């Protein structure tokens, strides 16, 4: 669905000749160590950070140079979930207002009543209840916040979600809840997903294909099961060994 | 514990500020006489039942003048702070958010202006504009906005890299929407503290300008101008200067307590956290 | 004999929302040369327990119970004496390496100062000791690292520097609070190896506070599982992790990706408003009506302790009225 290219900052290459593609409905797992450039890649793909060269093509349309997203070009069909729940929502907005944002920005509803109905539907999809609406982000747990973020994204009926370590800050039992929810929703809406994580076990569970990233480069791509069974690159092999260590 | 002392200061400061506001609003009821009425026969009277603060060299009731002076001082304080706050917040917002050349130009301007002592700059401006209430307000507002700009710019830079900002940008929000709805509410806490402290500061500066004859002109009852008028009678009739001086002190202290207290209350770091 | 003996520890926070019972009646023993894992979810009180041992808590906290270190009651110790114990006898490796190092001083300066705080040695000697320590902790090119500033190091390296600073006083008790949080697999493994080597070399007891079950499995001799302020299961790590008895421990292991990523439904109870019966009652797949009313005490079993009515049969509280329900629940 898209490809991305070289990204440079202050003559320091964070990403180096990265090429990826994701088909509709597919999950591509992107695994790599801390500081390998995976989060930067997520931001480049979304046009939040400009790449110094290369292109990102989404649904046949090229991301405008300089990272300028325009509201009317269908880019809202690609959305992101971040790593740190405590920074993912505006701390001064109630959950209701955070959820209503995409509806208001894109004028998807005509009045308050319709807005409330849409929000109620979104809440149900992600397994939250009405009582959460009047709370502030700091009154919610990390898992609940990630659900809110997911609900908000779904309002725009996205075609692709970039999940940047969405559960690395969560407890294992909550991680399982959130990942299962993400997978359910993906199946239900036919969403493609770029799932970024440093946890190979999690990536294996989520993904159809896996891309392994090291020092700004993609060192290996392939079907999830095959890569883990038969790692082709030394870095991948090291990752697989670590997973077996514990 | 920290929060408790903060709370006490807020309450104390708030009471003083509310009392002052009450005095300003109900000045005609509180003042026993017309602050401008002269009575040369009864000039320089010491405080007594009829004239609680005594009378000045022209026989005007000092108590009435101090009470009406509250109106003038608070008006100057609030209006000046509002104007400089608005200019400063706006400048800080766009400099911090857009960055680049715009940021560079705005912040270097701030640096240059901050290189002059504020009161001196205000003196020059007031001198150029001429005396009078509107000009005092303009002069003080023009020298007071840089601090807000700096604080806001710093706060904006810290907030704009948070993930929720990238998140709403991905939702399709435009720059102005993000600035007004997401950045601004998250940088206001330090501005509120600064503005509260700033009101006291402005009142002090306004009094200083009036004292030097460049501010509000007689016969308007303004505390600084009253100090100036009483200067020659410092030895023979100290009540001419003591009462307006006390009024200035109480007002500035009240706003400072309120501001310092607010800083403690609004600062999330002051809340004791349970380790996790 | 145990090095640290915690008996019936309760740590309560006075907050505007009410009393938060973060640690509620915890008893735990730490033994020299052994690593004990303290696991549990965010907000279960495991970190508060670690902080309580060193009395590193905000002013609105109250600690009750008994913490004996080498036979000495820590809760009665004056602050000045306690300060002498911290760092020398007991060391704390904090959670966030990003904020726990001074950003404007080099690693070398910070380490050397810490060493000289504990031993009267020359600057040169201290620097050599610092380099040796970093080498012991697997930090590549230790001499070069000493000249660098915290921001020049990766998260894993900073975490190891913090560990180094913790052990310079040769403490007999090490408390590590989430030392592997946010680290990727390879760095996590290195950190675990470093901790193992440190305890092996110094013979210290290590209390490892973490939510990462894999680290516990790889590193710990014993494990204690905390839920809503209480220890709900404890015993040898291998026994508890391979054959968990408490429904919560079972759920925790089942939610690992390798075990099928089966979530535990629901959320932990609020520590302000704790339920009367078992604190896991509302999320428990094996709960019987009795569990909602009877607070379970720790049941001693040959190889472990479990806080669950399922295992309380034969005991006074499990007999009679609730016996039948429990039987049904076991089947």
């Amino acid at each position: 669905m898209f490809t991305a290219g070289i990204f440079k900052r202050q003559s320091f290459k964070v990403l180096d000749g990265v090429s990826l593609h994701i088909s509709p409905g597919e999950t591509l797992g992107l695994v790599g160590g801390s500081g390998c450039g995976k989060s930067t890649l997520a931001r480049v793909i979304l046009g939040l950070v400009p790449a110094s060269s290369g292109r990102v093509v989404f649904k046949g349309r090229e991301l405008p140079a300089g990272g300028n997203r325009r509201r009317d070009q269908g880019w809202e069909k690609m959305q992101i979930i971040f790593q740190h729940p405590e920074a993912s929502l505006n701390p001064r907005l109630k959950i209701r207002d955070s959820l209503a944002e995409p509806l208001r920005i894109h004028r998807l509803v005509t009045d308050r009543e319709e807005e409330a109905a849409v929000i109620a539907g979104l809440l149900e999809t992600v397994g939250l209840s009405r009582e959460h609406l009047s709370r502030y982000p700091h009154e919610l747990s990390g898992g609940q916040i990630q659900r809110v973020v997911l609900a908000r994204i779904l309002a725009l009926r996205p075609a692709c979600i970039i999940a940047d370590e969405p559960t690395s800050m969560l407890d294992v039992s909550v991680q399982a809840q959130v990942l299962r929810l993400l997978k359910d929703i993906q199946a239900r809406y036919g969403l493609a997903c770029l799932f970024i994580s440093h946890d190979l076990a999690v990536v294996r569970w989520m993904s159809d294909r896996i891309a392994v990233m090291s020092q700004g480069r993609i060192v290996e791509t392939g079907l999830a099961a095959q890569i883990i069974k038969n790692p082709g690159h030394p870095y991948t092999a090291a990752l697989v060994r670590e997973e077996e260590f514990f | 514990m920290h929060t408790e002392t903060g709370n006490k200061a807020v309450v104390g400061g708030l009471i003083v500020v509310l009392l002052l506001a009450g005095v300003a609003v109900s000045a005609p009821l509180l003042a026993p006489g017309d602050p401008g009425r002269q009575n040369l026969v009864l000039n320089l009277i010491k405080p007594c039942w009829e004239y609680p603060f005594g009378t000045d060299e022209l026989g005007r009731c000092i108590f009435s003048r101090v009470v009406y002076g509250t109106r003038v001082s608070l008006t100057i304080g609030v209006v000046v702070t509002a104007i400089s706050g608005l200019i400063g917040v706006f400048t800080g917002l766009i400099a911090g958010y857009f960055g680049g050349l715009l940021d560079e130009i705005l912040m270097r301007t701030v640096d240059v202006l901050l290189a002059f002592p504020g009161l001196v700059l205000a003196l020059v401006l007031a001198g150029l504009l001429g005396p009078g209430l509107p000009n005092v307000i303009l002069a003080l507002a023009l020298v007071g906005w840089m601090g807000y700009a700096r604080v806001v710019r710093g706060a904006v830079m810290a907030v704009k890299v948070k993930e929720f900002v990238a998140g709403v940008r991905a939702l399709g929000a435009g720059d102005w929407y993000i600035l007004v709805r997401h950045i601004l509410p998250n940088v206001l806490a330090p501005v509120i503290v600064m503005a509260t402290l700033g009101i006291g500061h402005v009142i002090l500066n306004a009094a200083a300008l009036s004292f030097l004859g460049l501010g509000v002109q007689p016969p308007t009852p303004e505390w600084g101008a009253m100090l100036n008028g009483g200067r020659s009678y410092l030895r023979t009739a100290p009540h001419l200067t003591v009462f307006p001086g006390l009024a200035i002190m109480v007002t500035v202290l009240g706003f400072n307590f309120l501001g310092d207290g607010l800083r403690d209350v609004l600062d999330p770091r002051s809340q004791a956290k349970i380790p996790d | 004999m145990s090095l640290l003996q915690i008996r019936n520890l309760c740590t309560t926070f006075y907050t505007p929302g009410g009393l938060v019972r973060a640690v509620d009646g915890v008893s735990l023993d730490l033994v020299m040369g052994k690593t004990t894992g303290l696991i549990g979810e965010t907000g279960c009180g495991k970190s508060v327990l670690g902080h309580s041992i060193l009395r590193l808590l905000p002013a609105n906290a109250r600690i009750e119970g008994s913490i004996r270190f080498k036979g000495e009651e820590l809760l009665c110790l004056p602050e000045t004496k306690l300060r002498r114990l911290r760092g020398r006898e007991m060391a704390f490796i904090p959670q966030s390496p990003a904020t726990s190092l001074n950003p404007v001083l080099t690693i070398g300066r910070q380490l050397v100062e810490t060493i000289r705080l504990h031993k009267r040695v020359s600057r040169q000697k201290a620097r050599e000791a610092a380099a040796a320590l970093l080498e012991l902790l697997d930090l590549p090119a230790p001499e070069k690292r000493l000249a660098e500033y915290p921001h020049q190091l990766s998260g894993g390296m900073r975490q190891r520097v913090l560990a180094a600073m913790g052990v310079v006083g040769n403490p007999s008790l090490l408390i590590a609070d989430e030392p592997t949080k946010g680290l990727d697999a390879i760095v996590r493994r290195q950190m675990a190896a470093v901790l193992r080597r440190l305890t092996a070399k110094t013979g210290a007891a290590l209390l490892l506070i973490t939510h990462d079950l894999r680290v516990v499995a790889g590193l710990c001799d014993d494990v204690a599982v905390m839920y809503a302020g209480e220890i709900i299961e404890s015993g040898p790590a291998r026994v508890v992790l391979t054959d968990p008895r408490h429904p919560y421990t079972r759920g925790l292991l089942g939610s690992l990706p390798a075990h099928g990523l089966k979530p535990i439904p629901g959320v932990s109870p609020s520590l302000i408003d704790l339920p009367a019966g078992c604190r896991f009652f509302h999320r428990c797949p094996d709960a019987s009506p009795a569990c909602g009313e009877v607070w379970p005490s720790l049941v001693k079993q040959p190889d472990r302790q479990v806080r669950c009515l399922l295992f309380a049969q034969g005991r006074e509280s499990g007999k009679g009225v609730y016996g039948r329900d429990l039987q049904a629940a076991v089947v």
Side-chain angles (χ1 to χ4, degrees), chain A residues 136-194:
Chain A
Y136 285 96
H138 69 90
E139 296 171 299
L140 263 57
S141 70
Q144 288 170 331
I145 290 196
Q146 296 302 55
R147 284 168 195 262
V148 172
V149 173
L150 190 57
R152 176 162 88 160
I153 285 171
L154 289 176
L156 296 175
R157 302 245 160 254
C160 178
I161 290 182
I162 296 174
D164 185 4
E165 304 253 20
T167 59
S168 72
M169 289 295 156
L170 304 179
D171 294 310
V172 279
S173 64
V174 182
Q175 162 170 286
Q177 292 175 359
V178 172
L179 290 181
R180 281 189 179 267
L181 175 69
L182 184 58
K183 210 167 187 180
D184 282 354
I185 282 171
Q186 244 191 297
R188 190 171 347 157
Y189 296 96
L191 296 179
C193 180
L194 176 65

Side-chain angles (χ1 to χ4, degrees), chain A residues 18-33:
Chain A
V18 171
S19 292
L20 290 173
H21 73 91
I22 300 179
S23 315
E26 181 192 41
T27 301
L28 175 68
L30 182 64
V31 63

Side-chain angles (χ1 to χ4, degrees), chain C residues 127-204:
Chain C
R127 204 172 173 85
E128 282 164 18
L133 200 53
L134 291 188
E135 193 157 13
L136 176 74
L137 299 191
D138 266 345
L139 225 65
E143 279 295 341
K144 191 170 152 251
R145 299 289 165 241
L146 287 179
E148 285 179 337
Y149 289 89
H151 70 90
Q152 291 170 293
L153 270 55
S154 70
M157 288 191 208
R158 280 197 291 252
Q159 188 68 65
R160 272 175 276 170
V161 170
L162 279 176
M165 291 177 80
V167 298
V168 291
N170 260 330
S172 45
L173 172 64
L174 258 173
I175 299 173
D177 191 3
E178 300 269 17
T180 58
K181 194 173 191 177
L183 301 181
D184 62 57
I186 291 174
V187 184
R188 187 174 59 211
R189 152 88 175 273
Q190 287 168 349
M191 191 63 207
V194 158
L195 286 173
R196 187 180 302 123
R197 198 173 315 162
L198 277 181
T199 46
K201 187 170 176 280
T202 59

